[in-house]
Amino acid sequence: MNAILALQSSGATLATAGGKGANLAALARAGFDAPPGFILTTEAYRAFVVRNEVGSFIASITDSLDQGDPIALEAASARIRARFAAGVMPEMIGEDIETALARLGPGVRVAVRSSATAEDLPGLSFAGQQDTFLNVLGAANVRAAVVQCWSSLWTARAMGYRARNRIDPAGIALAVVVQVMVDAEASGVMFTANPLSGHRGEIVIDATFGLGEALVAGLVTPDHIVVERRTGRILTHKRGTKALAIRPQPGGGTIQTAEPGAAERAALSEADIAALVDMGERAEALFGGPQDLEWARAGGRMQVLQSRPITTLYPLPEPRLADNG
């Protein structure tokens, strides 16, 4: 069984590495600055499911489940996730994880992120529906985080979303991306087309201090920046309050800290913004369409954490034929 792939591996496809993992691998192969790491493939997920007879257990719960009943979905999810938590990881997979972690360096702290096969697709994003664990320290904690990622394929939200979009749960699986933790000075999201207006000539950046999870969780009002792609001119640079930051702790895990005076300080310089615009345009060219990226600045370096298609844009109008009459 091929349980581990290098982050930049050409074998990291949607089927083996999930949407997030496949996109990160493509970025790494193209020379983008992404934190080093590895991918625990969907084969590992399937091996765990078989070893612990999870598949038949899930089927017994979901076959007659009312997918439109939120309470029933929550109850089913709790039972399924408890079954994962009680499972035993195949010994070979645990050893592979330990070996791959050792290659990243002694005492390495990592981010452990879910990457489903029905995720980050042109028409379906599944953004935020599976679990992520930040600043994980130690092989035992990484193994535990991996199992929780696997079980997050069966959150009530994910099951309901799959049902609404007619995705057969029998064919899905989940990979896990493990990367060296970025102790970000600033981080955020970037859209290579304006997600509100659909304007393809504008890049939109939201930025905050510390880790981007504060922004993703809606805990902060970020700086909001709009850039004209053709000229690189900053059209809008509105400073948000950024009243708190999430930062990694030395012993693992994260902590929320107050950010006094953050509203008066910009999270990004003009040079930072220019570097992000360049990153966004290269990512869009690589994937052939507008992208939603997560990024972090650490030690003055802009690093990409993930890239996925923007799934909410209005389609471009068809070109009008010249009227020769």
Side-chain angles (χ1 to χ4, degrees):
M1 178 179 63
N2 191 14
I4 300 286
L5 290 174
L7 190 65
Q8 69 275 19
S9 171
S10 59
T13 64
L14 180 64
T16 61
K20 185 183 287 93
N23 288 356
L24 270 170
L27 290 164
R29 289 195 300 272
F32 284 74
D33 192 350
F38 60 89
I39 300 166
L40 189 64
T41 68
T42 52
E43 288 188 47
Y45 168 87
R46 293 189 175 100
F48 180 92
V49 166
V50 170
R51 167 70 173 76
N52 295 281
E53 300 181 349
V54 177
S56 57
F57 180 78
I58 291 172
S60 71
I61 293 174
T62 58
D63 281 351
S64 59
L65 181 65
D66 181 357
Q67 302 284 356
D69 182 345
I71 295 175
L73 282 172
E74 288 289 352
S77 173
R79 291 180 65 193
I80 293 169
R81 299 198 74 176
R83 181 63 175 252
F84 272 90
V88 176
M89 180 177 287
E91 185 176 348
M92 185 177 295
I93 294 174
E95 292 174 353
D96 286 346
I97 291 172
E98 291 192 21
T99 300
L101 281 173
R103 291 195 187 107
L104 295 179
V108 66
R109 294 174 294 135
V110 295
V112 182
R113 302 179 189 273
S114 303
S115 180
T117 52
E119 175 185 81
D120 293 354
L121 307 176
L124 298 167
S125 73
F126 275 85
Q129 294 193 22
Q130 277 89 42
D131 285 348
T132 287
F133 298 91
L134 300 178
N135 202 39
V136 183
L137 178 62
N141 290 328
V142 172
R143 288 196 300 270
V146 164
V147 174
Q148 287 182 267
C149 283
W150 284 339
S151 78
S152 72
L153 190 60
W154 300 96
T155 63
R157 184 182 172 198
M159 287 193 289
Y161 188 82
R162 289 195 294 266
R164 289 192 299 275
N165 288 280
R166 302 180 185 278
I167 297 172
D168 183 1
I172 61 170
L174 192 133
V176 180
V177 178
V178 179
Q179 291 178 281
V180 172
M181 186 66 201
V182 178
D183 190 355
E185 303 143 3
S187 54
V189 297
M190 171 171 53
F191 302 90
T192 64
N194 192 313
L196 296 179
S197 68
H199 197 317
R200 269 63 166 183
E202 293 178 350
I203 286 180
V204 177
I205 301 167
D206 287 333
T208 194
F209 294 118
L211 304 179
E213 275 55 35
L215 192 159
V216 173
L219 300 177
V220 295
T221 302
D223 291 354
H224 183 71
I225 302 151
V226 181
V227 180
E228 185 178 56
R229 290 184 62 160
R230 184 176 59 84
T231 63
R233 183 166 61 98
I234 299 172
L235 304 177
T236 302
H237 195 160
K238 182 179 179 181
R239 292 183 188 175
T241 53
K242 307 183 294 292
L244 63 83
I246 295 178
R247 299 189 185 280
Q249 298 190 93
T254 60
I255 188 170
Q256 292 184 18
T257 62
E259 287 290 312
E264 286 73 50
R265 293 182 286 129
L268 297 174
S269 67
E270 290 191 6
D272 292 333
I273 294 169
L276 282 174
V277 168
D278 177 68
M279 175 194 292
E281 290 184 331
R282 289 191 295 125
E284 183 174 296
L286 176 65
F287 293 114
Q291 296 293 297
D292 167 3
L293 297 96
E294 293 184 17
W295 55 269
R297 188 192 72 219
R301 291 166 50 195
M302 282 295 180
Q303 295 182 280
V304 61
L305 305 180
Q306 72 180 64
S307 185
R308 55 180 169 249
I310 303 176
T311 59
T312 56
L313 291 177
Y314 293 110
L316 290 172
E318 293 292 333
R320 295 182 63 183
L321 297 175
D323 186 355
N324 296 322

